[in-house]
Amino acid sequence: MGNGFEIRDLDAAVGAEVLGVDLAAPLDDATFAAIERAWDARGMLLFRGQRLTPAAHVAFSRRFGAVEVPTNRQYALDGMPEVYVVSNIVEGGRNIGNADAGRVWHTDSSYMAVPSRGSLLYAVEVPRDGQGQPLGDTLFASMTAAYDELPDAMKRRCEGLHAVHDYSVQYERRLAKVRAAGGQRAALDAGTRERVAPIVHPVIRRHPRSGRPCIYVNLAMVTEVVGMDEADGLALRDELVAFATQDRFVYRHRWNEGDLVMWDNTSTQHLAIADYALPQRRLMYRTTVAGTA
Ligand code: OGA
Ligand code: MN
């Protein structure tokens, strides 16, 4: 293992910081295994001070499984479809990345039959205020800790329930918002719409690796709960998310250039804080590791 390799839990219900690792260099199996164990146990890992090319970012991601090509291909990095650009930067009149990613609590690709295992987000440019303080924080909430503390009556209410996750519905909603605000965004093409038919997942989903129960409804993709009328289903969804995203389950990450943060898409949810605007530039690269059935 590398000199000074250490994993330290963050002072929160979720997350750990990994020190003494250069993710651009080859990682030996023992170091990798320790990282993977910590990821499973803590849901989110932080590596500071990295210098990652997109190729190195993808290569590290691949150690955890196949890397997805994101559904929304309009924001792929040129020549690297596995790298999804999250950015407010406009070049030649066009957004180079998704400018409004993650503005409600969510997990990535919950709308897929086999949701992704996790995502790895790397900070290239971080917006700052007049004092040089970082803006555009990201919040992470532990869905395992939140489930453990759910009142028993609520646990019983959720038993056996399933929710519908619908990418198209959320996409149309966001498209309308972006366009109302004068932004530009392509409509969902028919091919994509077909690939993302609505999907059903348990409201309380067992983590595919640890087996721990996780609250698995989110505000971005869940449009109804099976067997409930729409309003009741959404009320249940909202109540669960409000419970699970209380401060005691949350870690707030203040970004610096060179941070790589990886999160588990079953045991955590995340939320982007939109407290910056051009000329404050934000540029992030994301990879998404596929899940297993
Ligand atoms: C994402 C996402 C949050 C952020 O890339 O999946 O939700 O703060 N990003 O950029
Ligand atoms: Mn996200």
Side-chain angles (χ1 to χ4, degrees):
M1 294 198 190
N3 262 352
F5 176 73
E6 192 189 336
I7 302 179
R8 255 188 232 155
D9 286 359
L10 298 172
D11 184 20
V14 59
E17 178 169 357
V18 184
L19 300 116
V21 172
D22 174 4
L23 297 177
L27 273 187
D28 62 78
D29 289 343
T31 305
F32 176 76
I35 289 170
E36 188 167 49
R37 267 198 310 278
W39 196 26
D40 285 339
R42 298 293 297 168
M44 187 224 110
L45 297 179
L46 161 65
F47 304 79
R48 298 186 201 268
Q50 301 298 314
R51 298 183 67 107
L52 277 182
T53 61
H57 183 169
V58 171
F60 175 59
S61 307
R62 274 221 177 93
R63 296 219 33 192
F64 298 93
V67 174
E68 290 177 3
V69 173
T71 303
N72 184 354
R73 301 199 181 158
Q74 63 182 309
Y75 301 130
L77 196 63
D78 274 347
M80 281 228 140
E82 306 95 333
V83 178
Y84 184 72
V85 179
V86 174
S87 181
N88 66 341
I89 298 171
V90 176
E91 272 169 14
R94 176 187 165 268
N95 282 104
I96 66 164
N98 185 344
D100 66 346
R103 299 292 165 81
V104 295
W105 282 103
H106 70 287
T107 60
D108 300 328
S109 51
S110 75
Y111 55 85
M112 302 196 331
V114 180
S116 65
R117 176 173 178 189
S119 304
L120 295 84
L121 189 64
Y122 177 64
V124 182
E125 286 187 59
V126 175
R128 290 178 189 274
D129 68 14
Q131 278 72 52
Q133 295 304 310
L135 298 168
D137 293 356
T138 309
L139 276 57
F140 297 89
S142 170
M143 295 300 118
T144 47
Y147 176 83
D148 290 348
E149 289 192 33
L150 264 188
D152 286 339
M154 184 54 122
K155 285 182 180 162
R156 278 194 301 274
R157 232 178 112 196
C158 293
E159 241 174 61
L161 288 181
H162 289 72
V164 177
H165 297 239
D166 190 329
Y167 181 90
S168 301
V169 164
Q170 71 79 27
Y171 192 94
E172 299 299 340
R173 277 190 202 136
R174 276 168 59 185
L175 185 66
K177 257 199 219 162
V178 170
R179 288 184 173 169
Q184 50 87 273
R185 191 170 212 208
L188 202 60
D189 58 278
T192 306
R193 193 184 300 276
E194 233 159 73
R195 274 188 289 124
V196 292
I199 265 311
V200 160
H201 294 299
V203 166
I204 305 301
R205 182 171 171 227
R206 293 221 164 252
H207 190 275
R209 295 173 57 86
S210 71
R212 290 183 67 186
C214 305
I215 295 176
Y216 198 69
V217 286
N218 68 70
L219 300 181
M221 298 295 162
V222 168
T223 52
E224 60 181 289
V225 174
V226 177
M228 291 175 79
D229 72 46
E230 186 181 345
D232 290 347
L234 295 184
L236 176 63
R237 173 198 73 176
D238 293 353
E239 191 180 340
L240 286 168
V241 172
F243 182 88
T245 56
Q246 296 173 85
D247 285 351
R248 70 179 190 279
F249 303 126
V250 170
Y251 164 71
R252 179 171 184 136
H253 186 61
R254 292 195 103 181
W255 293 93
N256 270 300
E257 290 80 1
D259 288 353
L260 179 114
V261 171
M262 53 192 285
W263 59 82
D264 185 298
N265 276 322
T266 306
S267 66
T268 71
Q269 292 197 27
H270 57 283
L271 169 70
I273 302 298
D275 58 356
Y276 59 92
L278 289 174
Q280 294 160 325
R281 286 160 55 111
R282 190 171 192 262
L283 177 60
M284 320 282 282
Y285 291 158
R286 194 189 97 194
T287 56
T288 314
V289 177
T292 45

